[in-house]
Amino acid sequence: MDIVRVMDELVCTRRVEGLRHHALRIVRSAQGVVSVATDAVGAPVGSWVFATTGSAARLAMPDHTAITDLTICGIIDHWGQEGPAPVGTTNPPGLAGGAKPADRT
Amino acid sequence: MDIVRVMDELVCTRRVEGLRHHALRIVRSAQGVVSVATDAVGAPVGSWVFATTGSAARLAMPDHTAITDLTICGIIDHWGQEGPAPVGTTNPPGLAGGAKPADRT
Amino acid sequence: MDIVRVMDELVCTRRVEGLRHHALRIVRSAQGVVSVATDAVGAPVGSWVFATTGSAARLAMPDHTAITDLTICGIIDHWGQEGPAPVGTTNPPGLAGGAKPADRT
Amino acid sequence: MDIVRVMDELVCTRRVEGLRHHALRIVRSAQGVVSVATDAVGAPVGSWVFATTGSAARLAMPDHTAITDLTICGIIDHWGQEGPAPVGTTNPPGLAGGAKPADRT
Amino acid sequence: MDIVRVMDELVCTRRVEGLRHHALRIVRSAQGVVSVATDAVGAPVGSWVFATTGSAARLAMPDHTAITDLTICGIIDHWGQEGPAPVGTTNPPGLAGGAKPADRT
């Protein structure tokens, strides 16, 4: 699953019927790639989350007929020995005090 | 879902039967990668859109038997605190006044 | 769908049974990545084409049991205001007079 | 299958129902990309493993309904003429004494 | 299909049940990315091959229940006007005398 950060709510009037009733989120990876995701857990803006791709993105939605290939499936508390990421941090929680993934790409 | 911009209509005489009756669009990502997409929402040239990949691209089409792996599923109005993107902008709407995604890749 | 150019016929004596009767093509993307594709439209060497990936690649073949994840689905005439790409051009048709995608990657 | 290293256990309180009872691992590729994976073999932190993607990730889980697109399927002992990787090494086992994959990317 | 070279046999004691009876190969792309693949044609170490990804990787295996997302489906003899690649070459057969794909990435 991809680790991304919720940036914003997407405003999108014209969309396919299969996405009519779903909130859409703008998410960004540590490498700076911006995508659109559906959300199965109600992740607030600013939180680091992980998202499933492909057919798993549809299975993760309460409504399996949602037309999506990227669904937020969990909100990351932290990993490793570090505590939760402070609000506003731009690094994933477990890497807050270390090198940015983008530096290593 | 990928965020791409509709660049043009693709002219393609010789194609597989499963794409016989579908308009094909040239789309470009913020990273400059050019692809061919089917279109489920009638997106005009120049608009920023999001597109689903994989099997979701087929499910997004009114005709599920369309042979596609990339379908435009919504036209982006904007995100964040910014208004709609001006016509002719080369950046995604929500990033019009900020850094280009391509700069961070 | 990916935009690639047909470079050559692949010579391959030992292959899986599910590809026994299919011609295999060497294709190259604008970014220089070389892949092997099956061909559903009979694209000549040198032509720019688009190809579907994943399960759509199998559905695009007349024989759906072909073992493939990349199938040529259409020969690109051109896009935008430009005419057909001249024979031997190394850029995609619609970009013949402009920047190469590879320059922007 | 992707070759990645298990970095940590992911702490994640809020998650989709389909991942309720599964341990989640933070894994990192030789190129430095950090992802979240489910684990079908009980790989300890620090070990180099390979993981399947897509629908194969679900089939690899004892419970096929797990919502995942990346599952650890085997712990790498070594390859080539080298012995097992020493604890704490940052390179994949078979490349311990050679060039790092990241150098060639 | 991806063009990769067989580097080695993978030694892996602990693995999922669905890979219990299958040989695993270490393969490397022209861009230097190292992966693990199942093998449906018995490709010797050092040979250039092409491999299918995703669900096609399972369909390519004699046993369709194999847990894999990358299966070697054919051994490349050569392409273009060149003869077979000499043993020990580090370039794909059809590119032996030309630019390396990695140079163009």
Side-chain angles (χ1 to χ4, degrees):
Chain A
M1 281 76 80
D2 298 344
I3 297 175
V4 293
R5 194 176 181 214
V6 182
M7 304 308 289
D8 237 315
E9 190 78 15
L10 177 68
V11 180
C12 170
T13 313
R14 197 149 133 207
R15 53 173 89 178
V16 291
E17 192 56 37
L19 283 175
R20 187 57 55 199
H21 307 294
H22 299 90
L24 296 172
R25 312 275 177 178
I26 297 290
V27 297
R28 186 161 64 190
S29 73
Q31 284 79 31
V33 176
V34 178
S35 306
V36 174
T38 47
D39 184 356
V41 294
V45 169
S47 57
W48 283 93
V49 299
F50 65 87
T52 49
T53 61
S55 53
R58 290 196 299 278
L59 297 174
M61 293 294 287
D63 166 13
H64 287 5
T65 66
I67 303 294
T68 181
D69 61 7
L70 189 67
T71 296
I72 300 171
C73 285
I75 302 173
I76 295 175
D77 297 333
H78 66 95
W79 69 76
Q81 300 162 314
E82 307 192 31
V87 172
T89 179
T90 57
N91 279 358
L95 297 167
K100 291 167 60 183
D103 294 342
R104 290 189 297 262
T105 304
Chain B
M1 281 75 80
D2 297 344
I3 298 176
V4 293
R5 195 174 180 216
V6 182
M7 304 307 289
D8 238 315
E9 191 77 14
L10 177 69
V11 180
C12 170
T13 313
R14 196 148 134 208
R15 53 174 88 178
V16 290
E17 192 56 36
L19 283 175
R20 186 58 56 199
H21 307 293
H22 300 90
L24 297 172
R25 312 276 177 177
I26 298 290
V27 297
R28 187 162 63 189
S29 73
Q31 285 79 31
V33 176
V34 178
S35 305
V36 174
T38 47
D39 184 357
V41 294
V45 168
S47 56
W48 283 94
V49 299
F50 65 86
T52 49
T53 60
S55 53
R58 291 197 299 278
L59 298 174
M61 293 295 286
D63 166 12
H64 288 5
T65 65
I67 303 294
T68 180
D69 61 8
L70 189 67
T71 297
I72 300 171
C73 285
I75 302 173
I76 295 175
D77 298 332
H78 66 94
W79 68 77
Q81 299 162 314
E82 307 191 33
V87 172
T89 180
T90 56
N91 280 358
L95 296 168
K100 292 167 61 183
D103 294 342
R104 289 189 296 262
T105 304
Chain C
M1 282 75 80
D2 298 342
I3 298 176
V4 293
R5 195 174 181 218
V6 182
M7 305 306 290
D8 238 315
E9 191 76 15
L10 178 68
V11 180
C12 169
T13 313
R14 196 149 133 206
R15 51 174 89 178
V16 290
E17 192 56 37
L19 284 175
R20 185 59 55 201
H21 307 293
H22 299 92
L24 296 171
R25 311 276 178 177
I26 298 290
V27 297
R28 188 162 63 190
S29 73
Q31 285 78 31
V33 176
V34 178
S35 306
V36 174
T38 47
D39 184 356
V41 294
V45 169
S47 56
W48 283 94
V49 299
F50 65 86
T52 49
T53 60
S55 52
R58 290 196 299 277
L59 297 174
M61 294 294 286
D63 166 12
H64 288 5
T65 65
I67 302 294
T68 181
D69 62 8
L70 188 68
T71 296
I72 299 171
C73 285
I75 302 173
I76 295 175
D77 297 334
H78 65 94
W79 68 77
Q81 300 163 315
E82 307 190 33
V87 172
T89 180
T90 57
N91 280 359
L95 295 168
K100 291 167 61 182
D103 294 343
R104 290 188 297 262
T105 305
Chain D
M1 282 75 80
D2 298 343
I3 297 176
V4 294
R5 195 175 181 215
V6 182
M7 305 306 290
D8 237 314
E9 190 77 13
L10 177 67
V11 180
C12 169
T13 313
R14 198 149 132 206
R15 52 173 89 178
V16 291
E17 192 56 37
L19 283 175
R20 185 59 54 199
H21 307 294
H22 300 91
L24 296 171
R25 311 276 177 178
I26 297 290
V27 297
R28 187 162 64 191
S29 73
Q31 285 79 30
V33 176
V34 178
S35 307
V36 174
T38 47
D39 184 357
V41 293
V45 169
S47 57
W48 283 93
V49 299
F50 64 88
T52 50
T53 61
S55 53
R58 290 196 299 278
L59 297 174
M61 293 295 287
D63 166 12
H64 287 5
T65 65
I67 303 294
T68 180
D69 62 8
L70 188 68
T71 296
I72 300 171
C73 285
I75 302 174
I76 295 175
D77 297 334
H78 65 94
W79 68 77
Q81 300 163 315
E82 307 191 32
V87 173
T89 179
T90 57
N91 280 358
L95 296 167
K100 292 167 60 182
D103 294 343
R104 288 188 299 261
T105 304
Chain E
M1 282 74 81
D2 299 342
I3 298 176
V4 293
R5 195 174 182 218
V6 182
M7 304 307 290
D8 237 314
E9 191 77 15
L10 177 68
V11 180
C12 169
T13 313
R14 197 149 132 207
R15 51 173 91 178
V16 291
E17 192 56 37
L19 283 175
R20 185 60 54 200
H21 307 293
H22 300 91
L24 296 172
R25 311 276 177 179
I26 298 290
V27 297
R28 187 161 64 190
S29 72
Q31 285 78 30
V33 177
V34 178
S35 306
V36 173
T38 47
D39 184 356
V41 294
V45 169
S47 56
W48 282 94
V49 299
F50 65 88
T52 49
T53 60
S55 52
R58 289 196 300 276
L59 297 173
M61 294 295 286
D63 166 12
H64 287 5
T65 65
I67 302 294
T68 180
D69 61 9
L70 188 67
T71 296
I72 299 171
C73 284
I75 301 173
I76 296 175
D77 296 334
H78 65 94
W79 67 78
Q81 299 163 315
E82 307 190 33
V87 172
T89 179
T90 56
N91 280 359
L95 296 168
K100 292 166 61 182
D103 294 343
R104 289 188 298 261
T105 304

